[in-house]
Amino acid sequence: MNFTQSFRLAIKSLLTSKMRALLTMLGIIIGVAAVIIITSLGNGMQNYMNDQFEQMGSNLIQVNVMDDGSSRTVDTDDFYALVGKYPKYLSGVTPYLSSRVVVRHGNEEDAFERTSVYGVSETFYNNDKGLTMQGEKLEHGRFLTYIDVQREQGVCVIGSYIADTAFNGNAMGQVITLSGDPYTVIGVFEAKAESAKGSGDDVIYIPYTRAQRLSAGGGYAMYLLTSTSRNTASAAKGLVERRLQKTFPDAGNYFVMTSAEMMDAMNTMVDLLITILTLIAALSLLVGGIGIMNIMLVSVTERTREIGIRKSLGAKQRNIRWQFIIEAGTTSAIGGVIGIGLGILCANILTFVLGAVVGTGSSEFHAIPTPGGIAVAFGVSVAIGILFGYLPANKAAKLNPIDALRYE
């Protein structure tokens, strides 16, 4: 009996008992679908994060300087001097001061209790790209200017959540209060998240010279620098670290990272998470394999006389063994195909669900099933069927033909 005949017999056997076949495949279907969904969401998340980092620019350098309570310090003027000294490698710098303030508009305060307020300089916004260093785009008005920063003007640029909540979308020229001080809205960002409380749209940018008056949190100062290009980012990072080493002998007092390193670190974390979740999901495949082995043992018992007749007509052990192995492999392969289809369908549904709930937008976040992931999931499902089908097939192959013919 060749492979084609064995395959046809396997299909015939599955069609004879459709419900039992479906229940047998269920573990494989669930396992493969789970693997496809997890890898698809992971790939989609990686692409989404990489796009966000690309928007910020691959030449961004983040610097955190810790406050160790000593007289040693590095301030904004030091970083400006560093940029001026090495224009070949560094193109700009801005403080990024997080301030704890009470945000209020009229009598409304609770709606803004999770609003993030940051103090930055005019270089935080790139006029050529039309984006901030963190990827925000202006929808109305303008960003902070050099004059605003130098004169400590009471002006601010706000996110779409605040514009909608406090001013019903008509925020330009309006006034919002930060810790009792009035700030005039000169710009509004486009919505980039779900435009909800505490989201990336619930944010206010003010001149860092004004933010220095407010209470800074965290015991550290953050600076964002830009290198002249992606190729000079590594050299620029080295220059920043060398400057910080002059002030802080202990490297634990500062932290410097480029956007490329941030992206690599995030991708590594996502890869690790995907691997762990995939291994957990793969347990369903083992359960499915056990189910296949169980049903194949039952099948061997039910078809004992058939096996005896085939052996009496000259079928060899390898023929019987391959017949049942192919049947087990076919069962798991069909389950794998169904699982792949179900996984792709669920991944597409989750793309729109996440777009609606999380606010990434279906045009930005896509759960992407990769051909490699699909091939591996299908291959593993077939391998599971063959592996767990071998024991019942071997048992069938070793049956004594006389005892098999006598079996009732």
Side-chain angles (χ1 to χ4, degrees), residues 230-241:
R230 181 171 187 169
N231 295 330
T232 60
S234 180
K237 177 188 174 184
L239 292 171
V240 173
E241 289 179 326

Side-chain angles (χ1 to χ4, degrees), residues 61-63 79 82 90 234-248 251 254-258 261:
I61 303 170
Q62 177 181 314
V63 181
F79 282 105
L82 186 67
L90 292 165
S234 180
K237 177 188 174 184
L239 292 171
V240 173
E241 289 179 326
R242 197 179 311 159
R243 172 61 185 85
L244 292 171
Q245 285 170 358
K246 291 181 180 180
T247 304
F248 304 105
Y254 58 86
F255 176 76
V256 184
M257 178 178 280
T258 65
E261 290 173 331

Side-chain angles (χ1 to χ4, degrees), residues 315-333:
K316 300 183 181 299
Q317 284 191 6
R318 66 174 179 271
N319 301 128
I320 302 297
R321 184 181 295 110
W322 272 112
Q323 178 187 347
F324 282 91
I325 287 177
I326 290 171
E327 186 171 323
T330 301
T331 302
S332 61

Side-chain angles (χ1 to χ4, degrees), residues 84-101:
K85 186 177 180 179
Y86 298 103
K88 182 178 178 181
Y89 300 99
L90 292 165
S91 59
V93 60
T94 176
Y96 194 73
L97 306 180
S98 176
S99 300
R100 294 177 183 155
V101 300

Side-chain angles (χ1 to χ4, degrees), residues 277-325:
L277 293 177
T278 300
L279 289 175
I280 294 173
L283 292 176
S284 297
L285 292 174
L286 294 178
V287 174
I290 293 171
I292 289 175
M293 182 172 64
N294 181 53
I295 208 67
M296 291 304 297
L297 287 171
V298 173
S299 181
V300 168
T301 302
E302 292 175 344
R303 295 158 62 182
T304 299
R305 282 184 62 84
E306 174 193 328
I307 295 168
I309 292 171
R310 288 194 59 205
K311 281 199 166 188
S312 66
L313 293 175
K316 300 183 181 299
Q317 284 191 6
R318 66 174 179 271
N319 301 128
I320 302 297
R321 184 181 295 110
W322 272 112
Q323 178 187 347
F324 282 91
I325 287 177

